[in-house]
Amino acid sequence: MTRPLREARVDLDAVAENIRTLRGRIGDARLMTVVKARAYGHGAVPVARAAVAAGADWLGVVDIAEALELRAAGIDAPILAWLHGPHVSFDEAIAARIDLGVHYLEQLDCVADAAGTASVQLKVDTGLGRNGAAEPDWPALFEAAAEHERTGRLRVSGLWSHLANAGEAEDRAQVAAFERAIAAALAAGLTPELLHLAATAGALRVPTARFSLVRVGIGTYGLSPFDDSSSADLGLRPALELSAGIVSVKRAAAGSGVSYGYDYRTTAETSLALVPLGYGDGIPRQASGRGEVSINGRRYRIAGRIAMDQFVVDVGDDPVALGDRAVLFGDPAIGVPSVDDWAHAADTINYEIVTRLGGRIEWTYAARD
Ligand SMILES: *Cc1c(COP(=O)(O)O)cnc(C)c1O
């Protein structure tokens, strides 16, 4: 089979291995695999299937629409969807047995008024300053939830919050705040069995934040949430390889300007190879002149600006041919650039590099079975 011109190849075995590796590091906590935003650009349905097969207990998404897409694909595992617009209908989500993250009283009442009996996971703000009930609002929210439970309109299955990853003292303060929230929920008569605070970073480095479940996104994809540790340091394998076939190779004289603005000029007669990926496909223009690709096992820096559809690499006198693959990133263990290299080149984080991919890229899935 010929490969797509622009290919994002996802290794589902790597996803499964990462899940097993992470599972071994979280003690008794249950594992939620976070597959929001098209599984961080890896493809929600294939990753969710692989995750469930590898033993993920829960799947996590942001929107109800993302959860319904998984259900429509026949995925039966428990799913939590945690961010909702102000006037959405919850009927369809409840009918599809999707747990709902609930953040404030009006939303709770709205869920209680919906058809069916919702399974609700109450979100409290323990210091991130995003959504979730603020501490002064906890008693009213918990008492209302307990009353809705008594009248059979919903069931509170979980209580949760999210860390700001601001430092050890800040983590400790958030853990303490979450413990106050648990106590307040119990005092109101709630019995949430799923207590969760940690994402990948907390799951790996803040054992006291694990509670009964951890929500792991980035680690699933074999990427590190830490500045000071690579995937390999964590025993994780990057699951995504982005590559494209070279669409033009030509000789250029010394002193030739390359791409818009001539930010790059050749210093000797050389060959220029053209890679058909640009910012229209989610390649960060910020990495112009800094990002690297691997072609036939050698690394080359991007020459000049990344355009909407393409960028150029100066391959010198190396025998690069039409159709050879330029690998932008993949598993650095095989010598290709990493997602972290691109994040560094573009002044951003690995999360953004993989999540922003789109445009004309085709996704393919590899697994041994
Ligand atoms: C995205 C997200 C996660 C996963 O975070 P990672 O750092 O990718 O593990 C967990 N919880 C919430 C609420 C999120 O929004």
Side-chain angles (χ1 to χ4, degrees), residues 214-267:
V214 295
R215 304 180 304 269
V216 173
I218 200 78
T220 307
Y221 308 102
L223 301 175
S224 170
F226 306 116
D227 291 338
D228 61 359
S229 299
S230 67
S231 305
D233 294 338
L234 300 176
L236 301 173
R237 190 150 69 86
L240 181 65
E241 182 185 272
L242 178 66
S243 72
I246 301 291
V247 291
S248 156
V249 186
K250 66 185 175 202
R251 295 296 283 175
S256 303
V258 175
S259 193
Y260 295 124
Y262 290 169
D263 288 353
Y264 182 85
R265 278 185 191 274
T266 58
T267 53

Side-chain angles (χ1 to χ4, degrees), residues 34 36 40 82 130 160 162 199-201 215-219 225 351:
V34 177
K36 64 185 180 185
Y40 293 42
W82 61 67
R130 301 201 315 205
W160 64 290
H162 194 41
T200 304
R215 304 180 304 269
V216 173
I218 200 78
Y351 292 74

Side-chain angles (χ1 to χ4, degrees), residues 337-362:
S338 65
V339 175
D340 292 326
D341 293 335
W342 274 80
H344 187 71
D347 268 330
T348 183
I349 54 173
N350 51 15
Y351 292 74
E352 186 184 355
I353 296 294
V354 289
T355 306
R356 59 184 290 156
L357 298 178
R360 294 145 290 195
I361 296 168
E362 287 181 46

Side-chain angles (χ1 to χ4, degrees), residues 160-178:
W160 64 290
S161 188
H162 194 41
L163 291 173
N165 302 328
E168 279 177 39
E170 290 80 357
D171 286 344
R172 269 196 303 278
Q174 284 198 261
V175 169
F178 191 56

Side-chain angles (χ1 to χ4, degrees), residues 14-350:
V15 168
E17 273 170 39
N18 293 332
I19 286 173
R20 287 190 285 265
T21 300
L22 290 157
R23 153 90 64 207
R25 309 250 173 94
I26 59 172
D28 295 336
R30 274 175 272 186
L31 179 69
M32 175 184 288
T33 297
V34 177
V35 295
K36 64 185 180 185
R38 299 171 297 115
Y40 293 42
H42 292 63
V45 168
V47 168
R49 280 204 187 104
V52 173
D57 304 293
W58 278 81
L59 298 171
V61 295
V62 167
D63 279 10
I64 289 170
E66 294 180 302
L68 292 173
E69 186 196 339
L70 300 178
R71 284 283 182 263
I75 294 168
D76 211 37
I79 304 176
L80 172 64
W82 61 67
L83 196 148
H84 321 291
H87 303 293
V88 296
S89 162
F90 292 106
D91 296 1
E92 205 182 345
I94 295 167
R97 293 166 296 103
I98 292 157
D99 271 43
L100 298 166
V102 167
H103 306 260
Y104 51 92
L105 197 54
E106 294 81 349
Q107 193 170 53
L108 181 79
D109 291 339
C110 190
V111 169
D113 287 343
T117 306
S119 184
V120 162
Q121 302 198 28
L122 298 172
K123 171 87 183 282
V124 289
D125 187 358
T126 53
L128 180 58
R130 301 201 315 205
N131 53 15
E135 188 155 359
D137 300 328
W138 294 349
L141 181 68
F142 296 160
E143 276 152 30
E147 182 56 28
H148 287 313
E149 270 196 341
R150 280 190 285 275
T151 56
R153 294 160 87 192
L154 52 78
R155 153 100 193 111
V156 177
S157 60
L159 179 71
W160 64 290
S161 188
H162 194 41
L163 291 173
N165 302 328
E168 279 177 39
E170 290 80 357
D171 286 344
R172 269 196 303 278
Q174 284 198 261
V175 169
F178 191 56
E179 281 166 348
R180 291 196 298 278
I182 295 169
L186 297 178
L190 298 173
T191 53
E193 55 164 325
L194 299 164
L195 304 171
H196 46 114
L197 178 60
T200 304
L204 293 177
R205 290 207 178 153
V206 192
T208 54
R210 285 183 199 137
F211 295 93
S212 64
L213 177 145
V214 295
R215 304 180 304 269
V216 173
I218 200 78
T220 307
Y221 308 102
L223 301 175
S224 170
F226 306 116
D227 291 338
D228 61 359
S229 299
S230 67
S231 305
D233 294 338
L234 300 176
L236 301 173
R237 190 150 69 86
L240 181 65
E241 182 185 272
L242 178 66
S243 72
I246 301 291
V247 291
S248 156
V249 186
K250 66 185 175 202
R251 295 296 283 175
S256 303
V258 175
S259 193
Y260 295 124
Y262 290 169
D263 288 353
Y264 182 85
R265 278 185 191 274
T266 58
T267 53
E269 188 187 326
T270 190
S271 292
L272 299 177
L274 187 64
V275 179
L277 283 166
Y279 59 79
D281 307 296
I283 310 306
R285 184 172 176 278
Q286 180 93 357
S288 294
R290 294 198 273 179
E292 291 186 349
V293 302
S294 172
I295 305 171
N296 302 328
R298 282 200 61 179
R299 293 263 202 131
Y300 303 95
R301 178 157 299 169
I302 292 169
R305 290 187 201 162
I306 294 170
M308 190 183 296
D309 319 302
Q310 48 203 296
F311 61 82
V312 174
V313 289
D314 181 342
V315 297
D317 293 328
D318 293 346
V320 171
L322 280 180
D324 285 353
R325 300 301 292 188
V327 179
L328 283 74
F329 53 77
D331 184 354
I334 61 165
V336 299
S338 65
V339 175
D340 292 326
D341 293 335
W342 274 80
H344 187 71
D347 268 330
T348 183
I349 54 173
N350 51 15

